[in-house]
Amino acid sequence: MTLADKAGRYAKQHPQEVTLAWIDNSTRTYDAGKAVRLCAVPRIAACIMGAEAPDKALADMLNRLLDDE
């Protein structure tokens, strides 16, 4: 199972809002599932600087996804 799959499952079990910081210095809030999908696509992930979520485990998974892309 890939990290994206694990993050997707975790997001379904722990719904919450996630804030993504983009390279244009904007921050946007998404539901956890959409944030995982955005962080898992290499061309989109290249434009995201970081992820913040109330749940540290989800935030860590998303940031690892971003670092891997």
Side-chain angles (χ1 to χ4, degrees), residues 1-54:
M1 179 181 299
T2 66
L3 180 56
D5 293 335
K6 288 179 187 176
R9 282 189 181 178
Y10 192 88
K12 284 181 184 177
Q13 294 171 350
H14 302 88
Q16 59 195 286
E17 291 197 342
V18 176
T19 301
L20 299 179
W22 295 83
I23 59 172
D24 66 355
N25 290 325
S26 67
T27 57
R28 298 178 204 142
T29 303
Y30 302 93
D31 66 79
K34 182 163 186 166
V36 170
R37 290 189 299 276
L38 290 170
C39 292
V41 176
R43 295 185 104 192
I44 297 173
C47 298
I48 303 171
M49 295 175 61
E52 291 183 17

